[in-house]
Amino acid sequence: MSAFYALLFTVAFLVLVIGLAKKIYQYSRVPAPLKIPVTPAPLTKGGVAVRLAKEAILFAALFRSNKWTWLFGWMFHMSLFVVLTIHLRYFIKDVPEWLVLLQPIGKYAAFTMIIGLLGLLVRRMFVARVKYISSPSDYLWLLLLLVIGLTGVTMRFISHTDIISVKEFSLGILSFNWQTLPMDVPLLVHLFLVAILMILLPFSKLLHIPGLFFAPSRNQVDNPREKRHIAPWAAELEAEKNKMQPK
Amino acid sequence: MADFETPKFREYPVVPELKPDAMAGDGPFVSRAEYDEDLGYPGEMPENWKEKTLDKMQDLLGRYRSFQVFMDSCIKCGACTDKCHYFIGTNDPKNMPVARQDLMRKVYRRYFTFAGKFFPKLVGAVDLTEDVLKEWFNYYHQCSECRRCSVFCPMGIDTAEVTMAAREILAHVGYGQKYSNQIIQKVYKIGNNLGLPGPALEGILEDLEEEVEEDTGVPVKYNMDKEGVEALLMTPSADFFAEPHIDGLIGYGKVLHELGITWTVSSKASEAANFGLFIGSYDNIQRVSMRIREAAIDLKVKRIIFGECGHAWRVAYSFLNTLAGPFDFLDQNYPVPQHILEVTYGAIQEGKLRLNKEENDHLTMTFHDSCNVARASRMGDKPGGQFDIPRAVIKAACNNYVDMDSDTIKDATFCCGGGGGLLTDDLMELRVKGALPRMEALKKVTDEDGVTNVAAICAICKSQFTKTLPYYGFEMDAIMSVHQLVSEAIVMTGSEQEKELDGVEEEAKDTEE
Ligand code: HEM
Ligand code: HEM
Ligand code: SF4
Ligand code: SF4
């Protein structure tokens, strides 16, 4: 069983990293042949960085469009961020002090994460417009994250698992020195679903993570009158045009 | 009028209920070979349309980062679902931006993603069939490419990009839209969207000169094909004869005359509009743009100035330099290209124009931000200049001005309902219904603030308003050009208006100083 999990995580890790890298490579390779930032847009690269940061950290556009979705969505993501941060203790041998200090407060992020997910799920099930655009996978993502969260909470607050062995197990995977895993049901479910999440991420709508930063509508500088912007495939058409010059 | 009901004003802006298939149908008229072939499309559907469709889709996924990323990155959060004027006006759920994208995305997933190839049901992927293609044609011609949805999307997904890709794919299997393709063909053959030949245009401009001189006593020139003048004026061809467009053209002429900027229109490029944008065709956008370069070279001008037209300004501002540049043969002291409003605004700032606001005292104005200007271009040197400059010019020409509701203007502006290649009679029902949110906002300021007229800076908006205003109980001439207001208020040096204001003797003294 431990070997199965060790293998599963090795595969999951590889799929995640390679899959995501391939997608990011693809996004960066496809040209954006025309200037299409949604205006008003920043006039400098620094301005674009601020614009993207506001979207990634505050979900600024979502805030403008729908306060409830923003509330639950933002709550979920920020909590997820905290949860993942405090999880670092399983992957770092000597846990730094700030991470230790974060643990006692950080563990409650699990609850806000679950509330956020429930809110999003309710919205998806009961708002007719959102229900209309949902396919089964959209519900399954929320359920998957919910179960990961609930099993985590179970381990943290109800039926504790041997986290020392968990840490040895995960460090073991990183160094290809496989260790045994405690055979607790919540832990096994937790880890199985996490592996599924890692494997599916590069093939699913979770591509919104790199996608956000690659959207030409948001990441372009507004300077088309000052600078020409020619995609490689458009350069061919260029050649023809250049015959036309003032005498 | 027509066989559909004009939507009722909603008492509160509640989100509409879904009425599935409310706008199902065959879409606008399909293009024909005679128009298509000039544009590089097959003209009729080939045997192997399915293969061709998927090939073109793959091609575009490799050409446009926007299309590729947007196919993947939608998180189905639903934030955009109540943002489209066509959804608000028709209640058809397929007019929700994400649902519109999904018509394409479900095919993308089926043929281009792992999940859709092996688990189509799970991720809502479907096979490409003729019905899917028909649905594309119908619903991708119920999007005016206005980009309102993208402002509200957390992922920045611009449905307009998907619509353009869809239309480009459709055109490549002989399923283009008649209205747009016919117009582009007219631009290639005759020089403008309306098919106005050079001599007719010249006649119109001569009449304008006479009219303006009669009105003001000033010999303002409206030149055509005059070599060696300072500026080439690119303006939508509707400006040459439609109301209220032409009053705007009269205004540009007066402003340029007063500033001593000599200018001409070109018979070869007598059209600022570029419908290549609407059909999502890089080649056609470029081909239409090149006429401008050619005209500027032939006429030996130093500047290019654009008249009031929304998508023309988008193409001019955002693409012209890229597609038809570099413009190093023009005077680099001016932006290339420049918007007429930038010219007028700059002159007002420098105190070079005299405007008698009282001429417009019988009006209380509001301003409709045209989508392509608001969300796809800029004016001046600051972000948001496209909102401030037109308002500043209106306020300089007019004492009474009120903005509409803040979530219906500036970058949240609602499309007039006729943009993106939909300004055709075969889509009248869609146009009227899509105008609902804009009409509601206008109704509110009419009732509460006594607004009498609305100004716009887009030929399509102006034509669309003229048609749709009566459906909602407004006068059709409530829509005005911004330069129409300027034209009414301007006091040109040596004009009758000046004499009237200053008295004859003083005027003589003024010119001596
Ligand atoms: C840079 C990091 C990320 C950003 C900026 C981001 C942003 C967003 C935004 C703006 C939404 C739409 C609003 C909402 O429904 O919450 C969203 C939805 C979602 N995100 Fe993320 N996200 C990030 C990372 C992640 C990660 C790491 C996961 C999961 C492992 C994730 C899972 C989801 C899911 C499942 C939804 C859909 C929620 C629903 O069903 O409505 N996101 N994300
Ligand atoms: C390989 C990756 C992971 C491992 C080894 C792991 C392991 C664990 C363990 C052992 C606990 C119990 C903590 C305790 O008893 O103190 C826990 C809790 C939790 N896990 Fe994970 N987990 C992983 C990934 C994730 C992911 C990706 C998520 C979120 C999507 C997540 C969400 C949670 C939550 C919400 C809790 C409860 C609160 C907390 O302790 O933070 N876990 N996890
Ligand atoms: S671009 Fe405009 S018309 Fe098209 S879906 Fe978005 S909001 Fe609707
Ligand atoms: S707002 Fe954007 S991410 Fe959300 S459903 Fe609409 S298109 Fe998809």
Side-chain angles (χ1 to χ4, degrees), chain B residues 11-74:
Chain B
E11 202 159 329
Y12 308 99
V14 284
V15 178
E17 263 177 57
L18 305 185
K19 283 195 205 140
D21 294 329
M23 295 297 282
D26 297 333
F29 297 150
V30 180
S31 187
R32 288 198 295 265
E34 52 182 302
Y35 312 126
D36 276 12
E37 278 156 9
D38 241 14
L39 277 61
Y41 299 131
E44 59 184 73
M45 204 181 278
E47 280 289 309
N48 58 346
W49 60 267
K50 189 168 165 180
E51 205 187 321
K52 279 250 157 84
T53 304
L54 293 172
D55 282 354
K56 192 67 207 171
M57 199 163 154
Q58 175 144 38
D59 178 44
L60 295 187
L61 287 166
R63 275 174 193 250
Y64 293 98
R65 182 182 297 164
S66 52
F67 187 37
Q68 171 63 60
V69 171
F70 295 164
M71 281 294 106
D72 284 334
S73 67
C74 172

Side-chain angles (χ1 to χ4, degrees), chain B residues 83-86 97 100 142-149 159-160:
Chain B
K83 302 297 185 285
C84 176
H85 52 288
Y86 290 120
R100 195 187 311 287
Q142 298 189 31
C143 168
S144 57
E145 303 172 347
C146 76
R147 315 188 97 191
R148 186 169 197 265
C149 43
T159 314

Side-chain angles (χ1 to χ4, degrees), chain A residues 31-136:
Chain A
L34 291 168
K35 278 279 185 178
I36 56 165
V38 172
T39 56
L43 308 186
T44 59
K45 285 212 168 114
V48 166
V50 173
R51 184 182 203 182
L52 289 176
K54 266 163 105 179
E55 293 303 334
I57 299 169
L58 301 175
F59 296 7
L62 186 61
F63 185 76
R64 251 182 108 176
S65 46
N66 193 308
K67 300 289 185 282
W68 284 109
T69 312
W70 178 85
L71 179 69
F72 291 122
W74 194 74
M75 205 155 114
F76 154 59
H77 281 86
M78 289 306 123
S79 313
L80 176 68
F81 181 70
V82 174
V83 166
L84 292 179
T85 311
I86 62 175
H87 269 68
L88 284 176
R89 70 187 186 280
Y90 301 121
F91 303 95
I92 305 175
K93 208 167 194 131
D94 305 306
V95 179
E97 190 162 1
W98 63 266
L99 197 51
V100 179
L101 291 176
L102 193 61
Q103 298 295 328
I105 337 160
K107 64 184 178 190
Y108 296 107
F111 296 103
T112 41
M113 174 175 139
I114 289 168
I115 296 170
L117 285 167
L118 284 174
L120 291 171
L121 187 63
V122 166
R123 173 173 156 83
R124 201 171 280 293
M125 292 188 333
F126 296 106
V127 177
R129 283 172 288 127
V130 187
K131 190 172 173 187
Y132 181 91
I133 58 164
S134 302
S135 46

